[in-house]
Amino acid sequence: FFDTHFRRRAKNSLYPPRMNLLRLVAMKRLNPKFGHRKGSATLEFAVCLPILIMIVLGTVEACGMIYLKQTLCVAAYEGARGSVIPGATKSDIVQRCHTILSQRQVTGATIVVSPDDFESQPSQSWITIRITARASDNAYIGSVYSRAMVIGAEATMMKEYD
């Protein structure tokens, strides 16, 4: 089968099948039409690589900021849950929030409990825990965009005891 196929093909073409491959290799080496794209792949790579690196680093930084926001939300929620327990103090709430923040390696966080004297507030009063952190202190890469950014979260729960 193969011999007849190549013979038919050889009759229809100017060169035998093996010769076509050799001719193609020779044309690539000698013909200027085939050689003008030698450096184009390198140039395209050199142009696209910085853009790809910026996209990857920006994605990593954005994911880090989302993680920071979620951590602050979890810490504020846990602090608010701790504030509605009978006998809770402000130092207990702050310690509970700091524990979560330190486990997730968040630095420079500010925790505000309001009202400040929530222990003496009557039943069915709202207690708010607000936590903020600077993005630049918690950035993975440290970009220009996160220098002045402050990320915060708050949680509010109702006091159910006197």
Side-chain angles (χ1 to χ4, degrees):
F1 171 75
F2 292 109
D3 289 337
T4 58
H5 175 72
F6 285 128
R7 285 183 190 158
R8 273 189 236 142
R9 189 168 170 207
K11 288 179 187 176
N12 295 336
S13 66
L14 297 174
Y15 301 103
R18 290 187 189 107
M19 194 62 159
N20 284 337
L21 180 63
L22 294 174
R23 180 170 166 79
L24 181 65
V25 171
M27 285 177 63
K28 279 187 174 181
R29 288 186 183 163
L30 300 175
N31 195 349
K33 290 180 183 177
F34 287 99
H36 76 284
R37 292 197 43 95
K38 277 187 178 180
S40 64
T42 307
L43 180 65
E44 290 169 1
F45 180 73
V47 170
C48 293
L49 184 65
I51 295 169
L52 290 174
I53 289 174
M54 285 178 48
I55 289 171
V56 168
L57 293 179
T59 303
V60 168
E61 194 66 26
C63 290
M65 292 302 112
I66 292 169
Y67 178 76
L68 176 62
K69 175 72 174 175
Q70 184 63 28
T71 300
L72 296 178
C73 288
V74 168
Y77 176 75
E78 289 297 323
R81 278 187 55 200
S83 69
V84 297
I85 296 173
T89 62
K90 183 176 178 180
S91 62
D92 293 339
I93 295 169
V94 171
Q95 181 60 36
R96 190 170 185 164
C97 294
H98 273 298
T99 302
I100 294 170
L101 294 173
S102 65
Q103 287 174 348
R104 297 192 180 188
Q105 300 174 350
V106 175
T107 58
T110 305
I111 301 168
V112 178
V113 180
S114 67
D116 200 27
D117 59 340
F118 76 93
E119 297 99 346
S120 62
Q121 295 293 319
S123 179
Q124 296 185 349
S125 60
W126 295 100
I127 301 169
T128 302
I129 311 299
R130 184 173 297 117
I131 304 176
T132 57
R134 291 187 59 202
S136 60
D137 294 341
N138 298 288
Y140 294 124
I141 299 165
S143 66
V144 176
Y145 303 109
S146 66
R147 284 188 186 155
M149 191 178 354
V150 176
I151 297 177
E154 69 178 44
T156 304
M157 288 196 178
M158 183 184 294
K159 183 176 178 182
E160 298 175 353
Y161 64 92
D162 279 329

